[in-house]
Amino acid sequence: MAIATSTSVRLPLRAYVNEVRCECLRMLRDPAFCIPVIGFPLMFYLLFAVVLNRQHSAATAQYLLATYGAFGVIGAGLFGFGVGVAVDRERGFLRLKRVLPTPPGAMLLAKLAMAMLFATLISGLMALLGATVAHVALAPWQWLALLAVDVLGVLPFAAIGLYVGTRVGASAAPALLNAVYLPMAFLSGLWLPLSMLPAVLAKLAVLWPAYHVGQLALRVVGFDQGQSPWLHVGVLAGITAVFFALAQRRLSRPAAAVP
């Protein structure tokens, strides 16, 4: 009986692990995804925190380290889920998944692990650039806190991306996500401090989920707006739950799995 129980536990676990491994390898081998998702935040950070930061301001380098780290992981969540799910729908991959003997939730877990892996890579490379080229000096707990904010901050945007991927086709998903991603990042203070935006736009920044991830990251380096971190955590948790629920509802319909 003990042997049978052990085997019954190992087999589903192996299936989950294999699903995660295959999904991560698939995205790492896709240059159209991994190069812009990893490269853009690093490029922007080098440009604004190093090249254009002619006074070598430590405050500027720290501020942008937090905000461009958030900017990068938001893209990993939105595009990793949104475009990936839309493409899988059009190719009939989701329909195939329905008839395969895969464990429940394996695809979602694999995509979450993939998004968090890319968030870890982006956060780690940003920290490397910050510590070396931009000469950012932070306490060990601050580096770890930034990593935690980035890795967990990918979850609400993975949920949004998943929902978008269930609603639109593969050709429309990148355009729609870019139309949301770039303005949201700008209006949330991830490219410029909110004090440099018009007062009306600065007040409306709280409506964007990117603002709350950015504020948590900025709190680590001491440049946030002074709001309670639990406010930001609560908003992001609510967004994650709502959009995952909406996406799950869509995926449970037979029509969502067919091209």
Side-chain angles (χ1 to χ4, degrees):
M1 179 67 71
I3 295 176
T5 302
S6 176
T7 303
S8 65
V9 171
R10 283 202 306 268
L11 290 178
L13 180 60
R14 183 179 300 176
Y16 282 114
V17 171
N18 286 336
E19 190 82 16
V20 169
R21 181 178 61 84
C22 291
E23 182 67 21
C24 290
L25 286 175
R26 181 174 76 140
M27 301 310 290
L28 284 168
R29 292 171 178 174
D30 183 2
F33 172 76
C34 64
I35 291 178
V37 164
I38 296 176
F40 281 174
L42 301 178
M43 178 184 68
F44 288 145
Y45 184 68
L46 282 174
L47 177 63
F48 290 105
V50 179
V51 177
L52 298 180
N53 186 16
R54 297 180 179 178
Q55 297 179 344
H56 303 290
S57 169
T60 299
Q62 289 181 6
Y63 183 97
L64 295 177
L65 176 66
T67 57
Y68 277 121
F71 172 72
V73 301
I74 289 169
L78 287 176
F79 290 95
F81 270 77
V83 178
V85 171
V87 170
D88 288 346
R89 284 177 58 236
E90 287 201 353
R91 291 177 177 175
F93 186 62
L94 296 187
R95 182 173 55 186
L96 176 63
K97 282 287 186 180
R98 287 180 180 271
V99 299
L100 290 177
T102 54
M107 183 192 74
L108 179 59
L109 175 64
K111 288 189 176 295
L112 275 176
M114 175 275 299
M116 295 177 81
L117 170 64
F118 273 88
T120 302
L121 290 174
I122 292 166
S123 186
L125 291 172
M126 289 287 295
L128 181 63
L129 284 179
T132 56
V133 181
H135 307 292
V136 172
L138 297 177
W141 73 266
Q142 290 177 296
W143 293 112
L144 292 175
L146 280 178
L147 176 63
V149 169
D150 289 342
V151 173
L152 295 177
V154 79
L155 296 178
F157 303 96
I160 295 171
L162 178 63
Y163 179 66
V164 171
T166 64
R167 299 287 307 190
V168 302
S171 58
L176 178 59
L177 290 170
N178 271 313
V180 173
Y181 176 42
L182 299 179
M184 178 175 62
F186 176 77
L187 295 173
S188 299
L190 300 187
W191 290 0
L192 296 171
L194 290 174
S195 59
M196 299 180 67
L197 298 180
V200 174
L201 295 180
K203 290 180 180 179
L204 293 176
V206 295
L207 300 177
W208 299 101
Y211 167 83
H212 299 281
V213 174
Q215 287 299 302
L216 288 173
L218 287 169
R219 185 178 179 85
V220 174
V221 296
F223 292 106
D224 65 312
Q225 299 279 309
Q227 297 156 320
S228 169
W230 294 111
L231 168 67
H232 306 306
V233 172
V235 170
L236 294 172
I239 290 171
T240 303
V242 168
F243 278 95
F244 268 133
L246 291 173
Q248 183 60 38
R249 183 179 178 184
R250 287 281 303 172
L251 288 172
S252 64
R253 299 175 181 176
V258 298

